[in-house]
Amino acid sequence: MAKIVRPKNMSLRFVVLLAICAVRNVAGFAVLPIFSAATASGTKAAMPVTSDLVSTVAVTGATGRTGSLVVQELLKRGVNVVGLVRDMDKGKQVFRNAGEKLKLIECDLGSEKEICSAVEDCDAAIWCATGFSDAPTSPFDQVKKLLGLALAPTKSIDSVGIPALANEFARKTDDSGSNRFPKVIMLSSAGVTRPSWSDEKKQMFPGSADIPIVRLNPFGILDIKAESEQKLRDSGLEYCIFRPCGLNDNWPAGSRPVLSQGDIAVGRINRADVATILVDCLTEPEAVGKTFEGIGLPGYPPAESIGIPLKRLKNDSEGLPSLDALAATYSTMQQLVPGEKQDPSALAMGQTYEQLDKNEVGRLGKRGEENAEAAAPKPSS
């Protein structure tokens, strides 16, 4: 397959058009990353009001950086929110001006019983939590760490909480055929399947397989998320799984979501845009039964509806894209990587694309010498 290289004087839009023309005959247009196009008139069509379709939504990790934005987006749309938090004092501080539509519940996301009780009156849930419920945080744990006796945490809140949510909503869901929206939306992560790729596949897609989080995979967090995703799929419940690429608060918010499948995507997206996508999927039938990755493309407005790009994606039940289809997606997505070197495989954990361009060391050290433990996810609040 011919590789399209972007000359310095060629616009990004033209590169994307060239890439689409080059690969559209490989395995069908649907395998390409989906750019959510704006309407020709530039006006927004009337969309259903979220609060008319869902009344109360549970949000795990509600005081986390992404979870808090999801809560704010739901409240802005008039939806009642049940925020599941580890620390009630922190929750009250973060949402001190939230109003009566937000109810905070202190919940151990490693406890199936507590989760089921917390979401009893909810119509749907958005999972924004991550980390381990038995992560070493006590003073005694710190002493053990200094003595070299610390053990890696083993109990992931994802592996407990996701199935618990799915089972609880499955128990409450009727079989009348009216359940056309996702009941559980999981915020996952791009890269979760890549540690398990074959050596051949990793060699085919080094810009996806050799990035820091995949190479280091601290505490096996990507494998745990992949297993949790599968448990959600196997539950039989209406679900949606969103795997954003690098979360970056400095990346322009309001960028166009570029959605793809096959866990090939690398790039950036603002957390505010992630929150918008998660909430949009609550009332989008095209989101049901789909797993997809996403980046934000600055300078292009989002579509009038997330359903436009989602409609072009495959249902998980249709199976994984072929290698030829993945190669088509990879060829395009690698040209949308930030920075000038556009070499994700050269990054160190904690190093930005801009630092790579300037040959500067990232916050966690040089490539191959990073402090992987410092990069491991902490339990969400």
Side-chain angles (χ1 to χ4, degrees):
M1 180 179 299
K3 180 178 181 181
I4 299 174
V5 180
R6 176 189 175 190
K8 290 185 178 180
N9 61 348
M10 184 179 293
S11 71
L12 180 59
R13 181 182 297 186
F14 189 59
V15 167
V16 172
L17 291 175
L18 283 178
I20 291 175
C21 291
V23 300
R24 67 180 301 166
N25 293 323
V26 173
F29 195 75
V31 305
L32 290 171
I34 306 303
F35 295 73
S36 50
T39 59
S41 65
T43 59
K44 294 278 187 179
M47 298 300 296
V49 178
T50 304
S51 59
D52 288 346
L53 300 175
V54 288
S55 173
T56 306
V57 176
V59 178
T60 66
T63 59
R65 285 190 289 177
T66 305
S68 61
L69 293 172
V70 170
V71 171
Q72 292 172 28
E73 183 67 23
L74 286 166
L75 293 175
K76 185 172 69 175
R77 302 190 193 191
V79 179
N80 297 306
V81 179
V82 174
L84 278 57
V85 301
R86 286 192 307 132
D87 186 333
M88 183 62 76
D89 290 337
K90 180 180 178 181
K92 291 178 179 179
Q93 177 64 25
V94 171
F95 300 112
R96 56 186 178 275
N97 299 318
E100 297 181 354
K101 282 190 170 293
L102 173 62
K103 177 182 179 182
L104 297 178
I105 296 179
E106 194 167 323
C107 181
D108 176 7
L109 296 179
S111 167
E112 181 175 352
K113 182 178 179 181
E114 289 191 28
I115 292 172
C116 293
S117 175
V119 304
E120 184 176 3
D121 298 322
C122 298
D123 304 313
I126 301 178
W127 180 272
C128 297
T130 191
F132 300 90
S133 60
D134 60 347
T137 55
S138 71
F140 181 64
D141 287 325
Q142 299 303 318
V143 172
K144 289 196 297 179
K145 178 179 177 180
L146 290 174
L147 296 175
L149 300 176
L151 298 174
T154 56
K155 187 179 179 183
S156 164
I157 56 178
D158 298 79
S159 63
V160 176
I162 293 291
L165 278 180
N167 292 336
E168 177 63 14
F169 280 102
R171 183 186 66 80
K172 299 192 300 180
T173 300
D174 61 48
D175 57 0
S176 64
S178 61
N179 304 302
R180 59 194 185 99
F181 304 125
K183 296 297 182 183
V184 174
I185 298 176
M186 178 182 178
L187 173 60
S188 186
S189 171
V192 296
T193 69
R194 298 174 203 176
S196 63
W197 284 2
S198 67
D199 289 340
E200 178 185 8
K201 189 173 180 179
K202 290 178 180 178
Q203 291 171 5
M204 287 183 66
F205 310 119
S208 300
D210 201 22
I211 62 174
I213 185 63
V214 177
R215 177 167 49 83
L216 297 175
N217 193 14
F219 299 141
I221 186 63
L222 295 179
D223 305 289
I224 292 170
K225 282 194 171 294
E227 292 171 4
S228 301
E229 285 185 3
Q230 193 56 46
K231 289 179 180 178
L232 180 55
R233 296 187 193 99
D234 292 341
S235 70
L237 186 74
E238 293 83 2
Y239 71 88
C240 172
I241 299 171
F242 179 36
R243 300 167 170 171
C245 292
L247 301 176
N248 189 303
D249 294 334
N250 295 320
W251 198 243
S255 296
R256 175 171 300 179
V258 179
L259 310 182
S260 61
Q261 292 180 302
D263 202 12
I264 288 291
V266 178
R268 285 178 178 162
I269 187 169
N270 191 291
R271 284 183 174 83
D273 291 344
V274 171
T276 298
I277 292 171
L278 291 170
V279 175
D280 283 347
C281 286
L282 275 174
T283 54
E284 180 47 65
E286 290 293 345
V288 174
K290 293 179 180 179
T291 300
F292 55 93
E293 298 77 53
I295 66 168
L297 184 63
Y300 288 72
E304 63 179 14
S305 165
I306 194 67
I308 294 175
L310 284 175
K311 188 174 183 179
R312 301 185 178 107
L313 299 180
K314 296 172 58 176
N315 283 86
D316 292 344
S317 59
E318 299 177 60
L320 296 173
S322 67
L323 284 179
D324 282 344
L326 291 178
T329 302
Y330 180 81
S331 176
T332 301
M333 296 302 294
Q334 287 291 300
Q335 295 177 75
L336 303 181
V337 169
E340 298 173 359
K341 291 187 176 179
Q342 292 197 311
D343 185 6
S345 63
L347 286 168
M349 179 75 83
Q351 183 184 36
T352 67
Y353 290 98
E354 291 78 11
Q355 288 174 322
L356 179 64
D357 289 342
K358 298 175 183 178
N359 296 316
E360 297 175 352
V361 177
R363 61 184 176 86
L364 298 177
K366 297 180 180 179
R367 190 182 189 282
E369 302 175 7
E370 305 100 323
N371 182 358
E373 184 176 334
K378 307 300 186 294
S380 299
S381 299

